[in-house]
Amino acid sequence: MPSDPAAMTFVRVLVEKAAALCGFDDKQIGGIVLAVDEACTNIIRHQYENRHDERIDIAVIADEADGRLRFIIRDYGPTREADDFRGRDLADVRPGGLGLHLIRQIMDTVEYSPADGGGMQLELAKGVPAGVEGQ
């Protein structure tokens, strides 16, 4: 997808449909959509400095082997250390800067790593609800 906020509508629908197919309830789906949206928004703002002509790759994997719904989000911005990705201190009360905290609260796994060829890769994963068909 392009790093254009207008493209986020497509991403939100994709994430919503994938989560629904995996058996998440409406509240869980809303949280997962929010987490992926925040992750992509952070890429646009911080990795691409609000440039809307860059590329973001998103893979959606319903992994039956480990019972998780996974999102792999890759950018082509600067390569950074995984430790560089931290939300601000929660005691610092002001608007903005809470996206990473939300993502970590919602998702079971949040892992940053350098991507092959430059840029960063983020893997978000959430365990699929027990008793879902095909799991």
Side-chain angles (χ1 to χ4, degrees):
M1 67 168 259
S3 60
D4 187 337
M8 290 306 302
T9 299
F10 169 76
V11 173
R12 287 188 289 271
V13 169
L14 171 70
V15 172
E16 178 183 346
K17 296 300 182 192
L21 287 171
C22 288
F24 291 98
D25 65 32
D26 288 345
K27 183 177 178 183
Q28 293 167 319
I29 291 168
I32 295 167
V33 169
L34 176 62
V36 174
D37 185 84
E38 284 288 334
C40 292
T41 299
N42 283 345
I43 290 170
I44 294 167
R45 285 187 187 146
H46 303 293
Q47 284 292 89
Y48 292 145
E49 298 175 339
N50 291 313
R51 291 187 311 274
H52 297 167
D53 59 346
E54 301 291 339
R55 175 178 162 183
I56 300 172
D57 296 340
I58 302 174
V60 181
I61 303 162
D63 194 337
E64 290 186 26
D66 70 359
R68 298 185 312 156
L69 177 59
R70 295 174 31 217
F71 300 92
I72 300 173
I73 305 168
R74 188 216 202 269
D75 69 62
Y76 296 84
T79 300
R80 300 172 189 242
E81 295 296 320
D83 289 341
D84 291 346
F85 296 95
R86 280 183 237 167
R88 66 174 161 73
D89 188 329
L90 290 175
D92 182 7
V93 179
R94 60 186 160 94
L98 297 176
L100 282 175
H101 294 294
L102 288 171
I103 293 168
R104 287 188 173 111
Q105 283 288 321
I106 294 165
M107 303 303 288
D108 297 334
T109 305
V110 178
E111 296 177 354
Y112 288 94
S113 59
D116 291 338
M120 295 299 296
Q121 179 173 293
L122 170 61
E123 180 174 333
L124 304 175
K126 183 87 172 160
V128 173
V132 174
E133 191 71 28
Q135 293 299 310

